[in-house]
Amino acid sequence: MSVAEIFETMEYGPAPEDARPALDWIASHGGRFGCHIDGRFADPGEAFATRNPATGDALAEVTQAAPADIGAAIAAARRAQKGWEAMGGPGRARILYALARLVQKQSRLFAVLETLDTGKPIRESRDIDIPLVARHFYYHAGMAQLMPEALPDARALGVCGQVIPWNFPLLMLSWKVAPALAMGNTVVLKPAEWTPLTALLFADLAGQAGLPPGVLNIVTGDGAVGEALVAAPVDKIAFTGSTPVGRAIRRATAGTGKALSLELGGKSPYIVFDDADIDSAVEGLVDAIWFNGGQVCCAGSRLLVHEGIADDLHNRLRARMDRLRIGDPLDKCIDMGAIADPVQAGRIAAMVEDAPGEVYRPATPLPERGAWCAPTLITGLHPSDRLMQEEIFGPVLVGTTFRTPDEAASLANNTRYGLAATVWTENVNLALDIAPKLHSGIVWVNGTNMMDAAAGFGGVKESGFGREGGWEGLRGYVRTGDPGQKLQPVAAVPAPDEARADALDRTAKLYIGGRQARPDGGYSRAVWGRDGRLLGHAGLANRKDVRNAVEAARGAAAWSRTTGHARAQILYFIAENLDARAAEFAARLRDMTGAGDNDARAEVAASVDRLFTWAAWADKHDGAVKGVPIRGVALAMNEPLGVIGQFAPDTAPLLGLVAIVAPAIAMGNRAVTVASQPFPLAATDFYQVLDTSDLPGGVVNILTGDHAELAPHLAGHADVDACWSFSSSDISAVIERESAGNLKRTWVNNGHARDWSRADSAAFLAHSTEIKTVWVPYGE
Ligand code: NAI
C-alpha cells in the first residue's frame, strides 16, 4: 500500500506492542502477588484475579489484604517514617530523582502493564500516563530539595493512607506518593481492585532507586480494604474516586484529627462559542471525552455549544467519531481501548439505556470479547436530564445549546460538581471573562484535559477539596506549628445569687442581612458580668435563624466580585470605627470576662491591628503563574470560597471574632459567624461598628447561641461552602460529619487552643481561598 493510499483510506496498522516483558514480570512472581510491605512481597493470602478487560483473560492473582496485612503495612510505615523524615529534603530528593529515572528507564514495561490491566490504549499509557508519572517524581524531587529553604516551618504529617481508582493507576499513585514522600511522610497505598499491577511493579522496583523499606507499602484488595485503611491509625487520608465513597470517607474520618483530601467525580462542561475554531474544538472533544474511554474524572462530558454553530459542530463531530479506531489497546494505532472492567461497561450501558435526545454511535463493530463501549454522542438534552447531571464515566458525550455567554456560564454551573471546565473561543476577552464565572477548580482555554505536576488539580463543590500538584498540593502533606494546648470548655458566667441593682436589661438581637433580627424562637439568655451585674440578654439562634443568615450571605454574592482594593477600604474603615469606640469595647470585655483593664484594652488594640492586617492583605494575596511543559501557562488564581460558616473562639471574644471574620471577608467571602458562646456581647456590639462602616448587608451575619446546637445546622447547610470552628465546645466531629452532605471544606480545632495574638496569615489565607487553575495558551 502506498503512502498516498494510506492517507486516503487511513487503513494503516495494526502495530501491536509486545506484551511479553510485562507478562514475564508477572510470571516471575508465579502469577500471584501478596501485598508489598516493608520493602518486600508478603505471602499471598486470599486472592482474586485481575483481568485484561480487552480480552477478559486473567493476568494475575492479587491478595485481598487481611487486617493483619494492613496492620503490618502501617507498622512498617510508622517505623520507617522518622528515619525518612530525618534524612532531610535533599537526601529524599536524590531518591525521588532516582525513582523518576527508574520510571523513565522502565517506561515501556510500565506502559504495557498499565495497558494490559486497564484496557487503555498503549498510545495513552506510553505518551501520557507514564511520562507524567516521571514528571511528577522529578518535580517533587525538586520540592524535597527546596523544602528546608522554601518551607522551613513545615514538618511531615506522618503516615499517609492513600486510596486510588482504576482509571490512571500509576499516575494516581505518583500524584499521591511523590508529594507525600517529598515532604517526609511514609505511605500505605491501596490501588483499585481492578488495576493493582503497576503499583506492585513500582513497589517491586523502588528498592533499586534506593527507597528504604517501609517508606512505601502497597495493600491490595477491594473497597473493604480501603475502608479498613481509612479507619486505621494513619495521619492522613488522600482519596481519589467516586463522590459517594468520598462522602463515606469524610464521615468515617470526622473527629479523628486525620487530614483529608478528596478528589472526586465531575460532570465537566465543554463550552464552544460561535467564534471558536470548530475543527480544533472537535479535536479537543476527542481528548475531552474519548481519552481513556471517558473514564476520566475531569472529562469534558457535557457539551455546551452556541446555538448558531450547533448543527455544524455536531455534524463534524459525528464524522470524526466515525473515524475513531477502537480495538486492541496494545495496538499503537488505536484511539480508544476497552473499558476498565465489565462492571463499569455495564454501568455505562445501563445509564444510557433509553436515553432521551438524539443518540449517535458510529457503526464500527466492537470486539466480541472483553469490556467495550462505543463512543456516543447524545444531543438535545434538557439541562436537568439525568444524563446531563450524573457522571457516566464512559465515552458518552451529552449536550445542549446556549444563546449567550451568561447562559453558557449558568448552564456550566448547573451541576453539583465543580472539577473542570473547558472554554473554546478565539476571543481572549470572552475566554477570560467566562473563566472566573465558572465554579470549578480548573479551567482550560482552547485545550482540555491538560495536567502537570506544577499545576494544582482538584475541585470545588461535590468534586471534593484539596489540591494535588504545585506548592498548593504540598499543603496537604505538611503541618506547621504546634497543635496547641488542649482547650478547656469555657462556661458562661453563672447567674449570681443576688443580682446587682444597676442591672441593665437590653436584649442584643442577631445580625442578619445588615439588620438586627429577633431570634426566631424568641428565646434569649442572660449574660452576667463577673461582678454580678446583668449585662444584657443575648438571643438564642435556632435552625431557622441559621437558614436566614445563610440566605442573606448568599444574597450578598456581589461582595465576592468586588476588588481587593474596595474590600481593603472597608476593612480600614471598620478598623477606624472600632478604634473610635475602643474604650467602650474594652469596658465591655472587662465586664464580661473579668479581664483586667490593660488586658481588655490590649484585646481591643489587637483587634484594630488585626483589621488593619487583613485590610492590607485584601489586595495582596496574589495568585501565581505556573510554568508547565505544555504550550501555555497555568494561572493559579485565588478565589473566595463563597459563604463560610464560623464558630468563633469562646475566649478573646472580640479579637477571636475579628481574627476569623476579617480574613474571610478580606478574601471576598461572606460570613455567618456564631459569636463566643459564653461572652457574646462583644460581637453584638461589633455589628454596630459594621453598620457604620459601609459593609454591604449580608457580608457578615452574626448569630449568638449554643454552639453545639447550631453546629449541625450550619455545617450541614447545602448553601454553605466551608465551615470553621474554634469553639471550646466539642463540635469538631459533628462539623466534619455534617459537612459530608455537600462536601464543604472544613477547618476545625479538634479541641486545641490557638494563639489569637498571632494573625497566622498563611493559614487564614489558605483557608479563605480556593485555587482555580486556569490554563491559557501562551508563547510558542
Ligand atoms: P470507587 O470510588 O468505589 O473506587 C475508588 C477506590 O476506592 C478503589 O480503590 C476502591 O477499592 C476504594 N473504595 C471503595 N469503597 C471504599 C470505602 N468505603 N472506603 C475506602 N475506599 C473504598 O469507584 P468505583 O466503584 O470503582 O467506580 C464507581 C464510579 O465512581 C464510576 O462510575 C465513576 O463515576 C466514579 N469514579 C470516579 C473517579 C475519579 O477519578 N473521580 C475514579 C473512579 C471512579
Side-chain angles (χ1 to χ4, degrees):
M1 191 185 279
S2 72
V3 172
E5 281 167 336
I6 291 173
F7 272 115
E8 193 53 42
T9 63
M10 296 301 268
E11 285 299 322
Y12 49 83
E17 179 65 78
D18 184 3
R20 219 166 318 134
L23 297 174
D24 286 351
W25 173 76
I26 294 172
S28 72
H29 290 276
R32 271 173 80 82
F33 294 90
C35 297
H36 200 278
I37 298 172
D38 212 9
R40 60 174 202 88
F41 280 106
D43 292 337
E46 184 199 328
F48 62 92
T50 177
R51 293 175 185 281
N52 177 349
T55 60
D57 295 340
L59 288 167
E61 295 265 303
V62 189
T63 293
Q64 169 75 6
D69 293 313
I70 298 168
I74 290 171
R78 193 64 74 190
R79 277 196 304 276
Q81 198 270 324
K82 273 210 174 71
W84 178 245
E85 186 173 12
M87 186 183 274
R92 294 193 299 274
R94 295 293 178 278
I95 293 172
L96 288 166
Y97 278 123
L99 285 169
R101 287 202 193 292
L102 182 92
V103 169
Q104 282 181 315
K105 249 188 299 192
Q106 300 287 357
S107 60
R108 196 155 176 180
L109 177 59
F110 276 116
V112 171
L113 189 64
E114 196 75 304
T115 283
L116 284 172
D117 212 12
T118 61
K120 64 171 68 196
I122 186 74
R123 215 161 46 82
E124 291 180 11
S125 48
R126 183 195 62 194
D127 297 346
I128 298 171
D129 292 49
I130 307 304
L132 275 176
V133 171
R135 161 86 180 137
H136 247 79
F137 279 99
Y138 276 121
Y139 182 84
H140 285 97
M143 288 304 203
Q145 180 75 24
L146 299 179
M147 187 181 178
E149 195 185 344
L151 303 166
D153 300 328
R155 282 176 299 121
L157 293 174
V159 175
C160 301
Q162 306 182 324
V163 180
I164 57 172
W166 38 262
N167 50 351
F168 295 91
L170 194 67
L171 185 58
M172 288 303 106
L173 175 148
S174 72
W175 282 24
K176 301 260 181 293
V177 168
L181 265 44
M183 297 294 106
N185 304 280
T186 54
V187 166
V188 178
L189 176 132
K190 191 199 86 67
E193 51 272 45
W194 297 340
T195 58
L197 293 179
T198 45
L200 292 171
L201 173 62
F202 184 85
D204 191 23
L205 298 181
Q208 293 175 16
L211 192 72
V215 172
L216 170 64
N217 307 276
I218 310 288
V219 291
T220 48
D222 62 12
V225 177
E227 210 176 327
L229 180 55
V230 167
V234 294
D235 303 296
K236 167 175 175 121
I237 292 293
F239 172 76
T240 298
S242 62
T243 295
V245 172
R247 195 170 276 131
I249 292 177
R250 169 67 292 183
R251 293 196 175 110
T253 53
T256 62
K258 289 175 192 170
L260 179 64
S261 64
L262 298 175
E263 202 269 275
L264 309 175
K267 190 76 184 176
S268 299
Y270 187 104
I271 310 169
V272 188
F273 288 100
D274 58 359
D275 65 352
D277 172 349
I278 297 185
D279 284 327
S280 71
V282 166
E283 218 40 50
L285 276 167
V286 174
D287 290 336
I289 188 67
W290 293 305
F291 169 53
N292 199 17
Q295 303 164 107
V296 181
C297 49
C298 53
S301 53
R302 238 172 359 123
L303 174 60
L304 306 178
V305 50
H306 214 294
E307 200 175 65
I309 57 160
D311 287 344
D312 186 12
L313 182 122
H314 292 152
N315 286 335
R316 292 196 221 187
L317 187 57
R318 288 186 198 105
R320 182 68 181 86
M321 289 168 75
D322 290 341
R323 299 218 151 205
L324 288 173
R325 293 169 67 103
I326 300 150
D328 179 8
L330 281 174
D331 181 346
K332 293 170 207 155
C333 305
I334 284 301
D335 295 312
M336 220 184 86
I339 297 299
D341 192 274
V343 170
Q344 183 63 14
R347 283 182 194 145
I348 300 166
M351 278 199 75
V352 298
E353 206 175 31
D354 304 325
E358 195 181 329
V359 181
Y360 183 77
R361 292 188 188 93
T364 337
L366 297 173
E368 277 170 14
R369 294 179 63 213
W372 301 89
C373 186
T376 306
L377 170 68
I378 308 178
T379 50
L381 291 176
H382 190 272
S384 63
D385 282 340
R386 192 170 67 97
L387 290 177
M388 288 288 280
Q389 292 293 332
E390 286 183 23
E391 186 175 40
I392 300 173
F393 224 65
V396 183
L397 178 65
V398 299
T400 189
T401 58
F402 65 85
R403 288 186 181 161
T404 62
D406 277 348
E407 191 190 356
S410 83
L411 282 173
N413 292 336
N414 177 19
T415 159
R416 58 200 173 96
Y417 296 112
L419 189 49
T422 299
V423 178
W424 223 282
T425 169
E426 291 298 288
N427 180 349
V428 66
N429 298 311
L430 181 58
L432 298 181
D433 176 62
I434 290 288
K437 294 182 178 154
L438 299 173
H439 301 157
S440 65
I442 303 153
V443 177
W444 292 295
V445 175
N446 291 334
T448 200
N449 268 340
M450 291 182 284
M451 302 164 199
D452 181 60
F457 187 99
V460 298
K461 303 203 287 188
E462 292 187 32
S463 292
F465 46 77
R467 293 288 177 266
E468 302 191 282
W471 294 99
E472 55 268 42
L474 299 182
R475 261 186 229 142
Y477 285 102
V478 293
R479 69 174 101 238
T480 50
D482 286 322
Q485 300 281 314
K486 222 46 195 155
L487 199 53
Q488 297 305 320
V490 183
V493 177
D497 293 338
E498 208 172 313
R500 271 178 47 174
D502 58 343
L504 162 79
D505 195 1
R506 189 182 79 84
T507 299
K509 300 197 181 71
L510 313 176
Y511 185 63
I512 296 177
R515 280 191 216 96
Q516 299 192 24
R518 263 176 229 294
D520 169 71
Y523 289 108
S524 57
R525 82 159 174 89
V527 181
W528 296 97
R530 292 272 179 217
D531 60 1
R533 262 190 309 152
L534 178 65
L535 302 178
H537 279 77
L540 289 176
N542 65 12
R543 177 195 195 122
K544 182 126 186 274
D545 298 308
V546 167
R547 282 214 304 265
N548 292 341
V550 172
E551 202 178 311
R554 279 243 92 82
W559 178 253
S560 298
R561 297 191 293 271
T562 52
T563 63
H565 173 69
R567 297 196 294 266
Q569 306 277 294
I570 289 178
L571 279 155
Y572 283 127
F573 199 17
I574 298 172
E576 278 172 19
N577 287 334
L578 178 61
D579 201 24
R581 294 173 61 177
E584 183 192 324
F585 271 87
R588 176 65 101 187
L589 291 174
R590 227 174 27 226
D591 292 346
M592 269 198 309
T593 66
D597 201 34
N598 285 348
D599 286 351
R601 276 176 213 265
E603 183 173 338
V604 179
S607 304
V608 171
D609 185 62
R610 192 61 50 83
L611 285 160
F612 270 94
T613 297
W614 286 107
W617 270 119
D619 56 0
K620 292 174 193 66
H621 187 36
D622 303 321
V625 181
K626 308 294 184 77
V628 287
I630 302 174
R631 186 187 77 100
V633 290
L635 311 176
M637 307 297 291
N638 290 313
E639 294 193 339
L641 308 175
V643 175
I644 304 183
Q646 307 183 313
F647 289 87
D650 289 318
T651 52
L654 179 66
L655 178 59
L657 179 88
V658 166
I660 65 172
V661 169
I665 65 172
M667 293 300 114
N669 301 285
R670 292 91 74 197
V672 175
T673 309
V674 185
S676 160
Q677 182 173 320
F679 309 122
L681 299 181
T684 55
D685 293 343
F686 184 68
Y687 65 59
Q688 297 165 14
V689 172
L690 299 180
D691 256 349
T692 54
S693 306
D694 293 346
L695 186 74
V699 174
V700 174
N701 305 275
I702 292 180
L703 303 179
T704 50
D706 186 275
H707 288 187
E709 193 188 317
L710 296 174
H713 304 310
L714 195 49
H717 199 299
D719 278 337
V720 174
D721 302 291
C723 193
W724 303 353
S725 172
F726 303 100
S727 173
S728 71
S729 297
D730 184 14
I731 56 174
S732 295
V734 77
I735 287 180
E736 290 187 332
R737 202 163 42 243
E738 292 300 323
S739 73
N742 70 346
L743 287 158
K744 59 176 67 67
R745 277 174 65 175
T746 55
W747 187 20
V748 295
N749 61 4
N750 284 310
H752 289 279
R754 215 181 167 83
D755 175 4
W756 295 105
S757 70
R758 292 174 42 236
D760 215 350
S761 300
F764 278 91
L765 288 169
H767 283 284
S768 302
T769 51
E770 192 71 88
I771 292 181
K772 177 186 274 178
T773 303
V774 184
W775 293 69
V776 291
Y778 186 84
E780 289 179 32

